[in-house]
Amino acid sequence: MTTFLHSFGISRARLAAMVVKEFIQMRRDRLTFALLIGIPIMQLALFGFAINNDPKGLPTIVHVAEDGPHARSILSALRNSGYFKLEEEAASRAQVDRALELGRVQFAVTIPAGFERTLLRGETPQLLIEADASDPSATGNAIAALARIGTEALRHDQGDLAGTTVATDDRPPPFEFVVHRRFNPDGITQYNIVPGLIGVILTMTMVITTAMAMTRERERGTMENLLAMPVRPIEVMTGKILPPIGMGAIQVSVVLIAARGLFGVPMTGSFPALIIAVMLFIATNLCIGFTFSTVARNQLQAMQMSFFFFLPSILLSGFMFPFRGMPSWAQAIGECLPLTHFLRVVRGVMLRGNGFAEVSANAWPMLAILVVVTVVALNRYRQTLD
């Protein structure tokens, strides 16, 4: 080995000394070392356990206009398929529409009046399935499974339906599922992706912008001047945050114009409500980035922390993969991310026609995150003054 190294003019002792020095520096930079270990572990956990392209247990609201044994058999078959989680029963048609507009449920099942009587007469009654198709990937497999569910639904009730069109393996079910895809009836992927890009772009740029704020002051040697100025931490933080808000507003304008002009994404809801939510989302991300800048020692660490935050925001927010397809622990993490709530707001306003009342349901979690990170950032900033 020594001869081999000497053939390249490399001293074994000098090489060993360099390796030891690098290990010592790595040990001193514990934050970078932790991020380098933590990021692959997080990727492994997210891609291995959290991501699921075949979401099941989708929340479903049921409106039964006429109850009966066959209606209950169909609902039981929907539940047993694993795709539909019948967790709410509506008393009126308005309650069904409200649940879908709020995004509280993915599906609505309506069993009309006269369903049992029509079925027993040997006719083919219709049963309405409404899907929130603003995210086509979340509903595709469940809709595809309806054909099998329909065949199996009344198999145990064949005796009651003797003489009618009985469901068997070889014959079609004695009723018909009518599927209405609401908010995105053509299943256009751009209608789901392009509004979500507003949140992704803002998360990426806003967090990085302010994550560099304090570390850049330290590396340029201007931190002492900043500390010597008669300004309070909240004034420093506000001064760092206000200018990038204008940059974020320009980004949002560009994406909205492209969404409408190039991709034809509709704007069916309240535009002022969307703008207020955008401003709140920008402020939240800027405060998160500022918090990172008070923790990181240099710009490299700030960049790594931003990436550490950006990765789960993309994967667990519902932007790339169906949110309801993830396990409960991953959904709990996703609920703590501002991008999750902003995606619900922007898709709700542009596709579902949401207004201020609906937007507020996801605005207050973003406001709560903003308050928490602001308190943490101010406390961290005071520590840097010591």
Side-chain angles (χ1 to χ4, degrees), residues 93-326:
R93 179 64 215 173
Q95 191 175 341
V96 172
D97 291 336
R98 185 67 175 167
L100 286 169
E101 290 168 359
L102 287 173
R104 201 170 65 237
V105 296
Q106 197 79 45
F107 285 96
V109 179
T110 300
I111 298 179
F115 179 83
E116 295 278 338
R117 186 172 56 256
T118 307
L119 188 66
L120 291 173
R121 279 205 303 262
E123 300 175 7
T124 306
Q126 293 182 333
L127 189 151
L128 180 61
I129 304 285
E130 294 171 279
D132 178 0
S134 57
D135 183 0
S137 62
T139 57
N141 289 344
I143 293 175
L146 286 175
R148 173 177 53 81
I149 295 171
T151 302
E152 298 176 353
L154 301 182
R155 182 167 297 166
H156 298 293
D157 301 326
Q158 289 182 5
D160 298 336
L161 297 174
T164 66
T165 310
V166 178
T168 67
D169 291 337
D170 301 326
R171 302 174 65 178
F175 61 92
E176 180 184 0
F177 282 123
V178 177
V179 179
H180 284 182
R181 293 176 173 84
R182 297 187 58 176
F183 314 125
N184 183 11
D186 296 327
I188 300 174
T189 305
Q190 286 83 353
Y191 285 12
N192 178 261
I193 295 296
V194 175
L197 276 178
I198 298 175
V200 173
I201 292 171
L202 289 177
T203 299
M204 185 168 56
T205 56
M206 297 295 102
V207 170
I208 291 177
T209 298
T210 46
M212 302 291 185
M214 302 310 297
T215 53
R216 188 185 300 117
E217 298 278 2
R218 293 193 193 95
E219 292 186 1
R220 290 180 178 176
T222 56
M223 188 65 186
E224 291 79 4
N225 297 335
L226 185 63
L227 297 178
M229 293 172 62
V231 291
R232 301 175 61 190
I234 186 65
E235 294 168 339
V236 174
M237 185 175 176
T238 306
K240 292 282 186 184
I241 286 175
L242 285 180
I245 289 180
M247 185 177 67
I250 294 174
Q251 291 176 337
V252 172
S253 301
V254 170
V255 177
L256 284 177
I257 292 172
R260 187 65 184 147
L262 294 179
F263 301 101
V265 181
M267 172 63 74
T268 59
S270 171
F271 186 72
L274 176 62
I275 294 303
I276 291 175
V278 166
M279 292 296 112
L280 179 60
F281 182 65
I282 290 175
T284 304
N285 280 296
L286 290 172
C287 287
I288 290 173
F290 189 85
T291 304
F292 290 163
S293 74
T294 62
V295 176
R297 297 177 180 175
N298 51 56
Q299 295 190 53
L300 175 61
Q301 288 186 351
M303 183 67 75
Q304 290 172 331
M305 294 177 70
S306 300
F307 182 74
F308 195 79
F309 173 76
F310 187 60
L311 187 62
S313 293
I314 293 295
L315 297 179
L316 300 183
S317 62
F319 173 71
M320 293 183 66
F321 305 100
F323 183 81
R324 291 181 173 121
M326 296 184 293

